Amino acid sequence: MVVTAGSLAVAFVISAVWWRRSAGPSRFEPAVQILGLLGGITGIVAERWAANRERRAEALQAIGEELQDNRKILTSPPFAVGTTRPARRQVYPRMNLSAVNAALSSAVLSPRRDETLAGLLHDWRNEAEIFNHQLSLAEILAFTNGSDEVLRDLHQGLHSADGPLERMQEQLDALMSTPPLATAGLRRRNAS
């Protein structure tokens, strides 16, 4: 990028000097070259801007779809509110975090434009990782301890007021209502 921009800047200066010193019918040749160089410089900037916008839009789309999948997981039978399922040992589905992790680690979100969204995504990722780890520990306890009381306590702990399921759902709702993700969701629904 630096070499290309530097080369274009030097070529622009040379063409400007040439235009100033030239005379006769070839006087417009440097002007045409200057316009070509300006077009090249503008093209580089425009291409970078368009590529960044496209990467951001793709990342928001992937995050929105991942969060919708997580919302479905939270309303699936093991986690559905009001379920009074008999106590049994099971492996619970986990929260998906790949799109959120990719967006946060690739710096595709703008520091100024997406500061609030990035903060919410960090909070969501941390909460989801804690939730996934808690599920792992609960499963280990349920499978190693043969007591049905442990299974009932696990079920009650998940579904209690202000329990992990409620907190996860609240965070998902807040995240999905942020303007960048809300508009990404609208585009996806309109495309369908």
Side-chain angles (χ1 to χ4, degrees):
M1 176 75 179
V2 172
V3 171
T4 302
S7 299
L8 287 172
V10 168
F12 180 80
V13 169
I14 291 171
S15 294
V17 169
W18 181 19
W19 185 18
R20 184 117 169 99
R21 294 182 181 215
S22 65
S26 65
R27 178 164 172 78
F28 292 107
E29 190 174 330
V32 170
Q33 188 173 1
I34 288 173
L35 290 175
L37 291 170
L38 285 176
I41 293 170
T42 305
I44 289 172
V45 172
E47 186 275 329
R48 303 265 307 170
W49 179 77
N52 287 340
R53 280 185 56 97
E54 186 176 327
R55 283 184 32 229
R56 180 180 180 271
E58 288 172 355
L60 290 175
Q61 182 75 23
I63 291 169
E65 290 174 6
E66 182 175 272
L67 294 177
Q68 287 293 354
D69 291 343
N70 285 332
R71 183 175 277 162
K72 289 177 188 173
I73 288 171
L74 289 177
T75 58
S76 67
F79 300 127
V81 176
T83 58
T84 54
R85 301 183 59 174
R88 68 180 182 91
R89 286 156 190 78
Q90 63 182 337
V91 175
Y92 291 92
R94 302 299 197 262
M95 296 292 105
N96 300 316
L97 293 169
S98 59
V100 171
N101 284 335
L104 292 174
S105 65
S106 68
V108 71
L109 301 175
S110 168
R112 286 172 280 137
R113 183 178 182 186
D114 298 315
E115 183 178 359
T116 303
L117 175 62
L120 288 172
L121 287 174
H122 277 288
D123 292 344
W124 163 255
R125 182 185 61 187
N126 293 340
E127 191 71 30
E129 285 179 349
I130 290 169
F131 181 73
N132 286 345
H133 290 303
Q134 288 173 338
L135 287 177
S136 295
L137 293 172
E139 289 167 353
I140 290 170
L141 181 62
F143 280 101
T144 57
N145 185 332
S147 170
D148 287 341
E149 185 178 328
V150 169
L151 296 173
R152 280 192 300 278
D153 290 345
L154 170 62
H155 185 77
Q156 288 173 351
L158 281 172
H159 294 90
S160 66
D162 197 34
L165 289 176
E166 187 176 309
R167 284 193 314 270
M168 295 297 288
Q169 191 63 44
E170 287 172 359
Q171 276 197 317
L172 260 178
D173 292 340
L175 198 52
M176 292 298 289
S177 66
T178 59
L181 290 176
T183 51
L186 287 173
R187 278 190 295 245
R188 183 179 65 249
R189 278 182 253 146
N190 290 339
S192 299

